[in-house]
Short mmCIF file of all heavy atoms in Angstrom, two decimals:
data_model
loop_
_atom_site.label_atom_id
_atom_site.label_comp_id
_atom_site.label_asym_id
_atom_site.label_seq_id
_atom_site.Cartn_x
_atom_site.Cartn_y
_atom_site.Cartn_z
N ALA Z 1 4.20 -4.71 -9.66
CA ALA Z 1 5.63 -4.89 -9.37
C ALA Z 1 6.09 -6.26 -9.77
O ALA Z 1 5.39 -7.24 -9.59
CB ALA Z 1 5.88 -4.68 -7.84
N ALA Z 2 7.29 -6.33 -10.37
CA ALA Z 2 7.91 -7.58 -10.69
C ALA Z 2 8.19 -8.39 -9.43
O ALA Z 2 8.56 -7.84 -8.39
CB ALA Z 2 9.16 -7.38 -11.52
N GLY Z 3 8.06 -9.72 -9.59
CA GLY Z 3 8.49 -10.54 -8.43
C GLY Z 3 7.43 -10.70 -7.37
O GLY Z 3 7.72 -11.26 -6.33
N VAL Z 4 6.20 -10.23 -7.56
CA VAL Z 4 5.17 -10.35 -6.60
C VAL Z 4 4.81 -11.81 -6.47
O VAL Z 4 4.71 -12.51 -7.46
CB VAL Z 4 3.91 -9.53 -6.96
CG1 VAL Z 4 2.83 -9.80 -5.96
CG2 VAL Z 4 4.26 -8.06 -7.03
N THR Z 5 4.66 -12.35 -5.30
CA THR Z 5 4.36 -13.75 -5.10
C THR Z 5 2.92 -13.96 -4.59
O THR Z 5 2.33 -13.02 -4.03
CB THR Z 5 5.34 -14.40 -4.05
OG1 THR Z 5 5.24 -13.67 -2.85
CG2 THR Z 5 6.78 -14.33 -4.57
N ALA Z 6 2.43 -15.13 -4.84
CA ALA Z 6 1.09 -15.44 -4.39
C ALA Z 6 1.08 -15.62 -2.89
O ALA Z 6 2.12 -15.95 -2.27
CB ALA Z 6 0.56 -16.72 -5.10
N SER Z 7 -0.07 -15.48 -2.23
CA SER Z 7 -0.20 -15.72 -0.85
C SER Z 7 0.02 -17.22 -0.54
O SER Z 7 -0.21 -18.03 -1.37
CB SER Z 7 -1.58 -15.26 -0.35
OG SER Z 7 -2.59 -16.08 -0.94
N PRO Z 8 0.42 -17.55 0.67
CA PRO Z 8 0.66 -18.96 1.03
C PRO Z 8 -0.56 -19.79 0.74
O PRO Z 8 -0.38 -20.98 0.40
CB PRO Z 8 0.99 -18.85 2.51
CG PRO Z 8 1.53 -17.53 2.71
CD PRO Z 8 0.77 -16.63 1.76
N SER Z 9 -1.73 -19.29 0.89
CA SER Z 9 -2.91 -20.14 0.70
C SER Z 9 -3.12 -20.48 -0.77
O SER Z 9 -3.93 -21.42 -1.04
CB SER Z 9 -4.18 -19.37 1.19
OG SER Z 9 -4.33 -18.17 0.44
N THR Z 10 -2.47 -19.82 -1.72
CA THR Z 10 -2.66 -20.15 -3.07
C THR Z 10 -1.44 -20.67 -3.77
O THR Z 10 -1.39 -20.85 -4.94
CB THR Z 10 -3.12 -18.88 -3.85
OG1 THR Z 10 -2.12 -17.90 -3.74
CG2 THR Z 10 -4.43 -18.34 -3.32
N THR Z 11 -0.41 -21.01 -2.97
CA THR Z 11 0.90 -21.41 -3.57
C THR Z 11 1.17 -22.87 -3.17
O THR Z 11 1.05 -23.27 -2.05
CB THR Z 11 2.04 -20.51 -3.07
OG1 THR Z 11 1.72 -19.16 -3.33
CG2 THR Z 11 3.31 -20.93 -3.71
N SER Z 12 1.59 -23.64 -4.15
CA SER Z 12 2.02 -25.00 -3.94
C SER Z 12 3.49 -25.15 -4.30
O SER Z 12 3.92 -24.53 -5.24
CB SER Z 12 1.20 -25.96 -4.78
OG SER Z 12 1.73 -27.27 -4.72
N SER Z 13 4.21 -25.94 -3.54
CA SER Z 13 5.64 -26.11 -3.83
C SER Z 13 5.81 -27.07 -4.95
O SER Z 13 6.91 -27.23 -5.54
CB SER Z 13 6.39 -26.59 -2.55
OG SER Z 13 5.85 -27.82 -2.11
N ALA Z 14 4.81 -27.91 -5.28
CA ALA Z 14 4.94 -28.86 -6.35
C ALA Z 14 4.76 -28.22 -7.71
O ALA Z 14 3.73 -27.58 -7.94
CB ALA Z 14 3.88 -29.97 -6.14
N PRO Z 15 5.71 -28.39 -8.63
CA PRO Z 15 5.56 -27.77 -9.92
C PRO Z 15 4.59 -28.44 -10.84
O PRO Z 15 4.20 -27.89 -11.87
CB PRO Z 15 7.00 -27.77 -10.50
CG PRO Z 15 7.56 -29.01 -9.84
CD PRO Z 15 7.00 -29.11 -8.52
N THR Z 16 4.24 -29.70 -10.59
CA THR Z 16 3.32 -30.44 -11.46
C THR Z 16 2.35 -31.22 -10.67
O THR Z 16 2.39 -31.20 -9.43
CB THR Z 16 4.17 -31.39 -12.38
OG1 THR Z 16 4.82 -32.29 -11.54
CG2 THR Z 16 5.15 -30.64 -13.18
N GLY Z 17 1.50 -32.00 -11.44
CA GLY Z 17 0.63 -32.92 -10.75
C GLY Z 17 -0.78 -32.36 -10.68
O GLY Z 17 -1.14 -31.41 -11.28
N GLY Z 18 -1.67 -33.09 -9.93
CA GLY Z 18 -3.07 -32.78 -9.94
C GLY Z 18 -3.50 -31.69 -8.93
O GLY Z 18 -4.64 -31.34 -8.94
N ASP Z 19 -2.62 -31.23 -8.10
CA ASP Z 19 -3.01 -30.12 -7.17
C ASP Z 19 -3.36 -28.87 -7.93
O ASP Z 19 -2.50 -28.31 -8.62
CB ASP Z 19 -1.85 -29.89 -6.20
CG ASP Z 19 -2.24 -28.82 -5.17
OD1 ASP Z 19 -3.39 -28.31 -5.19
OD2 ASP Z 19 -1.39 -28.53 -4.33
N PRO Z 20 -4.63 -28.43 -7.90
CA PRO Z 20 -5.04 -27.27 -8.70
C PRO Z 20 -4.51 -25.97 -8.11
O PRO Z 20 -4.55 -24.94 -8.78
CB PRO Z 20 -6.55 -27.30 -8.62
CG PRO Z 20 -6.87 -28.02 -7.35
CD PRO Z 20 -5.76 -29.02 -7.18
N SER Z 21 -3.96 -25.97 -6.87
CA SER Z 21 -3.38 -24.77 -6.37
C SER Z 21 -1.99 -24.60 -6.91
O SER Z 21 -1.14 -25.46 -6.77
CB SER Z 21 -3.26 -24.89 -4.81
OG SER Z 21 -4.56 -24.87 -4.26
N SER Z 22 -1.74 -23.52 -7.60
CA SER Z 22 -0.42 -23.24 -8.16
C SER Z 22 0.02 -21.81 -7.89
O SER Z 22 -0.82 -21.03 -7.46
CB SER Z 22 -0.44 -23.48 -9.69
OG SER Z 22 -1.34 -22.60 -10.29
N ALA Z 23 1.29 -21.58 -8.00
CA ALA Z 23 1.81 -20.21 -7.74
C ALA Z 23 1.04 -19.30 -8.69
O ALA Z 23 1.13 -19.45 -9.92
CB ALA Z 23 3.29 -20.15 -7.99
N ALA Z 24 0.33 -18.32 -8.15
CA ALA Z 24 -0.53 -17.54 -8.97
C ALA Z 24 0.04 -16.15 -9.28
O ALA Z 24 -0.73 -15.28 -9.70
CB ALA Z 24 -1.87 -17.34 -8.24
N SER Z 25 1.33 -15.99 -9.15
CA SER Z 25 1.99 -14.79 -9.59
C SER Z 25 2.43 -15.01 -11.05
O SER Z 25 3.25 -15.86 -11.33
CB SER Z 25 3.20 -14.42 -8.72
OG SER Z 25 3.80 -13.30 -9.20
N LEU Z 26 1.84 -14.28 -11.98
CA LEU Z 26 2.07 -14.56 -13.42
C LEU Z 26 3.15 -13.65 -14.01
O LEU Z 26 3.37 -12.53 -13.57
CB LEU Z 26 0.74 -14.34 -14.20
CG LEU Z 26 -0.50 -14.98 -13.60
CD1 LEU Z 26 -1.66 -14.74 -14.56
CD2 LEU Z 26 -0.28 -16.49 -13.36
N THR Z 27 3.78 -14.18 -15.00
CA THR Z 27 4.72 -13.37 -15.79
C THR Z 27 4.77 -13.93 -17.20
O THR Z 27 3.93 -14.79 -17.58
CB THR Z 27 6.12 -13.40 -15.14
OG1 THR Z 27 6.96 -12.42 -15.83
CG2 THR Z 27 6.78 -14.77 -15.25
N VAL Z 28 5.70 -13.46 -18.00
CA VAL Z 28 5.75 -13.82 -19.44
C VAL Z 28 7.10 -14.46 -19.73
O VAL Z 28 8.16 -13.96 -19.25
CB VAL Z 28 5.51 -12.63 -20.35
CG1 VAL Z 28 5.69 -13.01 -21.79
CG2 VAL Z 28 4.09 -12.06 -20.08
N ALA Z 29 7.12 -15.53 -20.49
CA ALA Z 29 8.35 -16.13 -21.00
C ALA Z 29 8.27 -16.26 -22.50
O ALA Z 29 7.18 -16.14 -23.09
CB ALA Z 29 8.54 -17.53 -20.34
N LYS Z 30 9.43 -16.44 -23.13
CA LYS Z 30 9.45 -16.54 -24.57
C LYS Z 30 9.77 -18.02 -24.97
O LYS Z 30 10.67 -18.66 -24.43
CB LYS Z 30 10.57 -15.67 -25.13
CG LYS Z 30 10.38 -14.18 -24.87
CD LYS Z 30 9.18 -13.66 -25.67
CE LYS Z 30 9.64 -12.95 -26.90
NZ LYS Z 30 8.53 -12.29 -27.63
N ASP Z 31 8.91 -18.52 -25.85
CA ASP Z 31 9.13 -19.88 -26.43
C ASP Z 31 9.58 -19.74 -27.85
O ASP Z 31 9.11 -18.83 -28.56
CB ASP Z 31 7.81 -20.63 -26.33
CG ASP Z 31 7.99 -22.03 -26.91
OD1 ASP Z 31 8.44 -22.91 -26.16
OD2 ASP Z 31 7.62 -22.25 -28.07
N ALA Z 32 10.51 -20.51 -28.27
CA ALA Z 32 11.14 -20.43 -29.64
C ALA Z 32 10.08 -20.52 -30.70
O ALA Z 32 10.16 -19.87 -31.72
CB ALA Z 32 12.17 -21.51 -29.79
N LYS Z 33 8.99 -21.29 -30.50
CA LYS Z 33 8.00 -21.46 -31.53
C LYS Z 33 6.73 -20.66 -31.29
O LYS Z 33 6.12 -20.15 -32.25
CB LYS Z 33 7.60 -22.91 -31.67
CG LYS Z 33 8.72 -23.85 -32.20
CD LYS Z 33 8.26 -25.29 -32.31
CE LYS Z 33 9.33 -26.21 -32.91
NZ LYS Z 33 8.88 -27.57 -33.03
N LEU Z 34 6.37 -20.54 -30.04
CA LEU Z 34 5.09 -19.88 -29.69
C LEU Z 34 5.24 -18.39 -29.37
O LEU Z 34 4.23 -17.70 -29.29
CB LEU Z 34 4.43 -20.60 -28.53
CG LEU Z 34 4.15 -22.13 -28.76
CD1 LEU Z 34 3.56 -22.71 -27.48
CD2 LEU Z 34 3.27 -22.31 -29.93
N GLY Z 35 6.42 -17.93 -29.17
CA GLY Z 35 6.60 -16.57 -28.80
C GLY Z 35 6.27 -16.30 -27.35
O GLY Z 35 6.54 -17.16 -26.50
N SER Z 36 5.67 -15.15 -27.02
CA SER Z 36 5.37 -14.79 -25.64
C SER Z 36 4.20 -15.63 -25.13
O SER Z 36 3.17 -15.72 -25.79
CB SER Z 36 5.01 -13.31 -25.55
OG SER Z 36 6.08 -12.52 -25.93
N LEU Z 37 4.39 -16.21 -23.94
CA LEU Z 37 3.29 -16.94 -23.32
C LEU Z 37 3.33 -16.72 -21.80
O LEU Z 37 4.40 -16.34 -21.25
CB LEU Z 37 3.38 -18.41 -23.66
CG LEU Z 37 4.69 -19.18 -23.57
CD1 LEU Z 37 5.02 -19.55 -22.09
CD2 LEU Z 37 4.67 -20.43 -24.40
N VAL Z 38 2.21 -16.99 -21.17
CA VAL Z 38 2.07 -16.74 -19.71
C VAL Z 38 2.56 -17.94 -18.97
O VAL Z 38 2.24 -19.14 -19.33
CB VAL Z 38 0.64 -16.42 -19.39
CG1 VAL Z 38 0.46 -16.15 -17.84
CG2 VAL Z 38 0.13 -15.17 -20.16
N ILE Z 39 3.35 -17.71 -17.89
CA ILE Z 39 3.76 -18.77 -17.01
C ILE Z 39 3.38 -18.35 -15.56
O ILE Z 39 3.17 -17.18 -15.30
CB ILE Z 39 5.29 -19.03 -17.14
CG1 ILE Z 39 6.10 -17.83 -16.76
CG2 ILE Z 39 5.57 -19.54 -18.53
CD1 ILE Z 39 7.58 -18.05 -16.76
N ASP Z 40 3.39 -19.36 -14.68
CA ASP Z 40 3.07 -19.07 -13.29
C ASP Z 40 4.35 -18.78 -12.48
O ASP Z 40 5.48 -18.76 -13.03
CB ASP Z 40 2.22 -20.16 -12.67
CG ASP Z 40 2.98 -21.48 -12.50
OD1 ASP Z 40 4.22 -21.49 -12.65
OD2 ASP Z 40 2.33 -22.53 -12.20
N GLY Z 41 4.19 -18.61 -11.17
CA GLY Z 41 5.35 -18.30 -10.34
C GLY Z 41 6.34 -19.40 -10.22
O GLY Z 41 7.41 -19.20 -9.71
#
């Protein structure tokens, strides 16, 4: 299902930085040069 989110234990509110815990709900975005690529939640 679209829009599924990761559990609280695996989600961080910080979009960057050294915290290895990141939103683990994956989807696809389009980049002008690279085409389809995977992004996190």
Side-chain angles (χ1 to χ4, degrees):
V4 177
T5 58
S7 63
S9 63
T10 61
T11 304
S12 170
S13 60
T16 61
D19 183 358
S21 295
S22 61
S25 177
L26 311 184
T27 190
V28 175
K30 297 292 259 185
D31 180 83
K33 293 183 178 179
L34 301 178
S36 297
L37 48 78
V38 180
I39 60 175
D40 68 13

